[in-house]
Amino acid sequence: PKVVYPVQGLYAQEALKVLPTPRVSLFLVAILIMTTAYMGWRSTFTLFLDDLGGAASVIGTFFALSSLIEMFMAFSSPWLIKRVGTRNTLVFSYSVFLLFWLACSLILQPEMAIPLAVVHGISYGLYDVIGVIYVNEITPPGLTNRAQGMSGGVNRGGGPVRGAVARGVLWPGPRET
């Protein structure tokens, strides 16, 4: 006999209502791409700096400074959203990420990464906060909790897992000296 497993339960039914919403679906795809790239970068950046001869203090300074800027941006994001809107803040965040990654491709010495910590902090600090607000704004009434759960799953699960796997496949390891 053929066994059929229909989508059951209130959560699954409501989750299926969220996916056909074009703006939500597009945003979920965007954060999947973004977090895949981010985790691929994050899990190789310290290896990259180490490969360039970067001291632990340079790597630590990068992440400490970046974290401080991220916190500042997270706390100042309501001010920015009031002035330019949620969507424009999100576009700004993604644009700064793009500039950051392009600038990372120009790093020839580990110390060159330190100023980029500010750029990274701006982009990630805004991205992390604005994504939650944006999902609330684009989701149909009554489905925001489901959309937030799906967004969180992609943001903290699906994308980072894909990025870490990609890093494992693509990172050749330290250069031979």
Side-chain angles (χ1 to χ4, degrees):
K2 186 176 178 183
V3 178
V4 178
Y5 296 99
V7 176
Q8 297 178 358
L10 182 59
Y11 179 82
Q13 291 171 4
E14 288 183 7
L16 290 175
K17 291 178 188 175
V18 171
L19 289 177
T21 309
R23 289 174 68 189
V24 175
S25 295
L26 182 61
F27 183 65
L28 291 174
V29 169
I31 61 174
L32 179 65
I33 293 167
M34 163 66 168
T35 56
T36 299
Y38 178 74
M39 187 49 73
W41 165 82
R42 177 114 181 163
S43 62
T44 47
F45 194 62
T46 55
L47 300 172
F48 171 70
L49 293 178
D50 186 57
D51 192 27
L52 289 177
S57 59
V58 171
I59 297 167
T61 300
F62 174 87
F63 285 106
L65 180 57
S66 178
S67 295
L68 286 172
I69 301 297
E70 285 174 28
M71 287 186 284
F72 173 78
M73 294 310 297
F75 287 117
S76 63
S77 62
W79 176 86
L80 186 58
I81 292 167
K82 283 180 186 175
R83 270 123 195 106
V84 300
T86 305
R87 187 173 186 282
N88 289 338
T89 304
L90 182 68
V91 169
F92 174 73
S93 170
Y94 275 68
S95 299
V96 174
F97 255 122
L98 178 62
L99 292 174
F100 169 73
W101 285 328
L102 290 172
C104 282
S105 72
L106 302 175
I107 294 174
L108 301 174
Q109 299 295 324
E111 295 76 18
M112 294 172 71
I114 300 296
L116 293 179
V118 175
V119 179
H120 176 263
I122 291 169
S123 60
Y124 193 78
L126 287 176
Y127 162 81
D128 217 24
V129 171
I130 200 69
V132 174
I133 296 167
Y134 187 68
V135 167
N136 278 348
E137 289 184 7
I138 64 172
T139 304
L143 298 174
T144 53
N145 287 343
R146 302 297 181 231
Q148 287 293 350
M150 294 167 78
S151 173
V154 171
N155 194 28
R156 301 287 188 229
V161 168
R162 292 167 56 104
V165 169
R167 177 233 151 207
V169 171
L170 299 174
W171 178 253
R175 283 187 250 164
E176 299 292 326
T177 55

